[in-house]
Amino acid sequence: MTTQHTPAFEACLVDAGTRFPNLVVSTDGTVILTHGGHPDVPPKPGQRMVSRRSIDGGASWEGMVLLQEPAIQGGGMVVDDNTGTIFAFCHREHVHPRRAKPPYPAQVYRSSDNARNWQAVEATFNPDVQGNVPALHMAEHGITLHHGPRPGRLIRAARVWNGENFKGELHTGYNSALFSDDGGRTWNPSTPFPDLGTGEGAIVERRDGTLLYSSRKQYFHEGQAVTSGRWFASSRDAGECWEGLHCQEMLPDGPRYRGPEKRGCNYNGHYGILAGLTRVPDDERDILLYTSQDTDSHERKDLAVWASFDGGRTWPVKRMVYNGPAAYSTIIAGRPGTVSEGWIYCAFEGGTHQMYEGVRLVRFNMAWLESV
């Protein structure tokens, strides 16, 4: 990765009246943003999923391209580094547990021209060891594995809905991963993330081939300590099994407040958020970036980015990305040898008065991040 020595931070884009951003960078350096979701919670039916792209490293953005309507963002967008193909995912409507079951089947879109055009494709999603087919809403972008036992594998986070914490309902759903070894035609699930009451995850690969899974905590079960930190697990078999469950208290899982008052985005003593996670290209270090709220309040606001230089073991650097209402976020690093090299891109839900006014996107470099 080429180092940009002059700190740089720029606001790039605002799309109003939408939710659930997801970012990837294609093999030629095109920055691709997808989003789709109504600001109401749970989102209303009839929304659409769109993509936008930048071919000049985020300096300018082309218009929206419609993938599907009605649709809701599925997250987990993946660039196949083997072929350059890009996969995007959605459901026809929100698979929220307050809606009728079974959830709407997943829809898969593929682009072979760096998101100029998209085509709907057939894909098979197999059930896990408990007989559940994971839903795709909502997760951070997926990745192509480059090391370990299965280089070339595509993998993304997913989730199984089973109950909800709304008004204290029991929640036994869990995070999962979906991986493909045949170029996106068949997706097989991992074993469940080793904690119930989880959802909305992110996966990165370290240089030694181990995977790190970052999970939102949806629900604290009887006997569990109520924490405000982010939950993690790891995999040594290319994402087929997860182990080593632990909480990193230095990384907030959304707003830190876990007190007796249940307001804002907090039920069952409060819970986390979809947080961004990515690895910055580097030949010598595992540089990871994490985005979430940096606030002790109830409310989703004040989005920050944390940096780790040892694969997620410590997080010594933090900078504020946005002061104000802010919710879900996604983060991706530019690709070496392209116009995106050296840039970090972060898209998030935010606004001036409330957190779901629209999707905002900023770009910055490591020099800015480390100039604290």
Side-chain angles (χ1 to χ4, degrees):
M1 179 177 181
T2 299
T3 302
Q4 298 179 2
H5 297 287
T6 303
F9 180 97
E10 301 172 1
C12 299
L13 181 68
V14 177
D15 284 343
T18 185
R19 290 195 63 192
F20 307 127
N22 220 209
L23 280 170
V24 293
V25 177
S26 70
T27 53
D28 79 337
T30 300
V31 187
I32 301 159
L33 167 70
T34 56
H35 57 71
H38 195 276
D40 285 1
V41 180
K44 293 179 179 178
Q47 55 222 309
R48 62 179 184 164
M49 182 170 167
V50 301
S51 70
R52 296 190 71 169
R53 66 184 211 134
S54 172
I55 61 173
D56 57 9
S60 64
W61 291 82
E62 298 177 0
M64 294 183 186
V65 175
L66 177 66
L67 277 74
Q68 182 173 306
E69 185 176 11
I72 187 168
Q73 167 76 281
M77 191 166 38
V78 181
V79 177
D80 186 342
D81 292 345
N82 311 293
T83 65
T85 303
I86 305 157
F87 293 93
F89 306 87
C90 63
H91 289 276
R92 184 164 62 86
E93 292 185 15
H94 201 308
V95 295
H96 200 285
R98 285 177 248 165
R99 294 230 169 99
K101 288 181 173 57
Y104 295 105
Q107 308 293 319
V108 182
Y109 284 82
R110 179 180 65 198
S111 176
S112 301
D113 58 6
N114 302 309
R116 291 184 185 88
N117 300 282
W118 297 90
Q119 299 82 37
V121 295
E122 295 292 329
T124 299
F125 293 87
N126 290 320
D128 66 11
V129 294
Q130 298 190 20
N132 298 313
V133 176
L136 303 184
H137 176 77
M138 175 57 188
E140 177 63 295
H141 58 78
I143 57 174
T144 300
L145 301 186
H146 291 269
H147 310 288
R150 298 305 296 261
R153 169 174 285 180
L154 311 181
I155 190 167
R156 55 152 293 167
R159 72 187 303 181
V160 170
W161 292 96
N162 188 11
E164 174 60 302
N165 49 344
F166 181 65
K167 295 184 177 178
E169 295 176 17
L170 181 66
H171 187 301
T172 58
Y174 50 87
N175 256 322
S176 179
L178 289 168
F179 54 85
S180 176
D181 296 317
D182 62 2
R185 294 183 294 275
T186 307
W187 295 86
N188 294 306
S190 71
T191 60
F193 185 85
D195 185 43
L196 298 179
T198 50
E200 300 183 351
I203 300 170
V204 291
E205 182 185 33
R206 299 185 179 114
R207 290 178 304 142
D208 65 2
T210 61
L211 306 185
L212 185 67
Y213 198 125
S214 161
S215 175
R216 169 182 175 170
K217 181 66 170 166
Q218 291 280 121
Y219 188 88
F220 295 97
H221 295 269
E222 185 176 355
Q224 282 189 322
V226 178
T227 67
S228 61
R230 190 71 170 182
W231 288 85
F232 288 85
S234 59
S235 174
R236 294 175 290 180
D237 58 6
E240 297 181 20
C241 300
W242 302 96
E243 60 186 6
L245 178 70
H246 65 284
C247 179
Q248 295 203 11
E249 289 288 358
M250 76 287 294
L251 295 181
D253 185 13
R256 294 186 185 89
Y257 182 79
R258 298 293 188 271
E261 297 181 48
K262 298 181 181 180
R263 20 172 269 217
C265 299
N266 305 306
Y267 312 110
N268 175 238
H270 316 284
Y271 60 86
I273 201 166
L274 175 72
L277 183 69
T278 199
R279 183 180 183 274
V280 177
D282 191 281
D283 293 333
E284 299 178 355
R285 298 177 295 173
D286 282 318
I287 303 175
L288 306 184
L289 304 180
Y290 173 84
T291 53
S292 186
Q293 284 64 33
D294 185 26
T295 174
D296 293 329
S297 75
H298 300 265
E299 309 303 332
R300 291 174 169 174
K301 64 179 184 178
D302 299 343
L303 188 74
V305 56
W306 285 257
S308 172
F309 302 96
D310 56 10
R313 295 169 182 84
T314 62
W315 299 84
V317 173
K318 178 188 72 175
R319 288 213 69 175
M320 190 63 64
V321 173
Y322 183 74
N323 288 112
Y328 286 14
S329 59
T330 174
I331 190 168
I332 194 75
R335 287 188 183 256
T338 74
V339 68
S340 68
E341 181 174 13
W343 287 109
I344 310 297
Y345 305 90
C346 178
F348 57 94
E349 302 168 337
T352 56
H353 301 290
Q354 59 98 355
M355 58 192 168
Y356 299 139
E357 290 177 18
V359 167
R360 295 168 177 256
L361 191 146
V362 299
R363 66 174 183 171
F364 54 87
N365 58 16
M366 289 298 295
W368 173 83
L369 182 57
E370 296 183 84
S371 61
V372 290

